[in-house]
Structure formats: C-alpha cells, structure tokens
Amino acid sequence: MEYIRDYCMYAAIFGFFSFVWFGWAQEKPRPGWRVYLGIASGISFLVCLFGVYLSVKNWNAPSALSDADSYRQYLIFFYLEIILAAAGAFVLMRKKRGQFVAPWVAFIVGVHFIGLKTVFEDFSLYLLAALLIGVSVIAIFVSPKLKVAYSAITGIGSGTALFAFAILGLVRYWLQQ
C-alpha cells in the first residue's frame, strides 16, 4: 500500500540524514571537495525542510505506522539500529579504530532498511539497504587509495543515496496527488 504521509517523511528524514552524511564527509576530504559537500549539505537540508512542511500538511493522511504492529516493529528496528551502531562505534574507538566508525554506522543503517521494508511495505528500501551496505564496504577500500578519511567516502556515498531517496519520496508524493 502507498502512503502519502510516509513519502513526505521520506523527504524529511532522508533529506535530513543526507545533510548529516554530507557534513560527516567533511572530516578529511580532498580540499577541492569541500565546497561541493557544503552545497550538497545545503540542498539536502532544503529538501528536508520541504519534506517537513509536506509532512505537517499531510499529518492526518494514512501512514504505515498507523498500524500498531507496524509501529512497534519500526521502533524495534530503530532502537536496535541505534544500539548496534553505538556499541560498534564504542568498540572501534576503544580499539583505536575510530576511522572505521562511519563505515560501520552506514553498514548498520543499511541493514536496518532491510527490516523496514516489511514495515513500510516498500521494496525500494531493499535497494537503499544495498546502496548503504555497498558504500560502507567500498569506503574501506577506496578511502586509503584516495588518501581521504573513511568518513569522506562513506559520507559522500551515503549522503548521495539518501538524497536520491528523499527526492524519490517527493516524486512518489507528487505522483499520488
């Protein structure tokens, strides 16, 4: 089933986290990348704000999360993601492997979208999961070759994937109008 409010929230949430990832990418990118990362962050934030506006405007529209079981399942995946990401980051920092925190977080976020596919009944979340998991793996191999922080490649890849899905949310919203 397709839910207009969920598509608005895709724009808001994915736009926000795209903004966050492009920000994290600024840890140690190539110097020439900074201006583009700043622009990408700004555009992502504007998409987020537009998504928030549409979400508020359509707040009473049906949502996959209106169902109590779906909402409970969503919260389980959300809290599990937070706990795993934080625990992994803690272990990595403790073992002096902090450079791998961004790829770890992207990996966990990607995995959590596998579970959210059933909550939102949205097959495209499998694609988002694959993209984020792929970015987390690619960053480990590409970052040293480019002599940039792992967070630079992870942030650019994750930010781009999430931005694309924020825009996809807007397109799906408009198609439902």
Side-chain angles (χ1 to χ4, degrees):
M1 184 166 196
E2 306 215 353
Y3 298 105
I4 281 182
R5 190 172 103 198
D6 294 341
Y7 294 148
C8 298
M9 290 301 291
Y10 278 16
I13 293 169
F14 295 156
F16 176 76
F17 283 105
S18 176
F19 163 75
V20 169
W21 278 105
F22 283 130
W24 200 351
Q26 295 182 44
E27 178 183 353
K28 187 187 159 201
R30 289 190 170 171
W33 296 359
R34 287 193 190 277
V35 69
Y36 299 107
L37 291 170
I39 291 167
S41 290
I43 293 170
S44 297
F45 190 67
L46 292 174
V47 169
C48 165
L49 292 177
F50 188 57
V52 168
Y53 165 76
L54 291 175
S55 297
V56 170
K57 185 178 165 196
N58 292 282
W59 195 255
N60 293 321
S63 166
L65 299 180
S66 298
D67 175 70
D69 288 336
S70 293
Y71 186 65
R72 184 173 41 258
Q73 192 177 9
Y74 168 79
L75 289 176
I76 289 168
F77 286 120
F78 173 76
Y79 287 122
L80 191 57
E81 168 197 24
I82 298 299
I83 291 166
L84 289 173
F90 177 78
V91 169
L92 288 167
M93 296 296 284
R94 202 94 165 119
K95 299 228 177 235
K96 308 249 187 267
R97 300 278 189 198
Q99 72 270 24
F100 296 111
V101 169
W104 169 253
V105 171
F107 178 80
I108 294 300
V109 171
V111 169
H112 116 283
F113 282 118
I114 294 170
L116 291 184
K117 181 271 178 198
T118 57
V119 172
F120 290 100
E121 300 172 16
D122 184 353
F123 190 79
S124 74
L125 292 178
Y126 280 155
L127 175 59
L128 182 55
L131 289 170
L132 292 175
I133 291 167
V135 163
S136 69
V137 172
I138 289 167
I140 292 171
F141 296 102
V142 171
S143 300
K145 291 179 183 184
L146 294 177
K147 296 182 178 150
V148 298
Y150 292 90
S151 59
I153 299 303
T154 307
I156 290 168
S158 297
T160 301
L162 290 164
F163 181 78
F165 273 77
I167 297 300
L168 179 61
L170 291 176
V171 168
R172 291 164 115 182
Y173 166 77
W174 284 314
L175 290 174
Q176 293 297 312
Q177 293 300 307

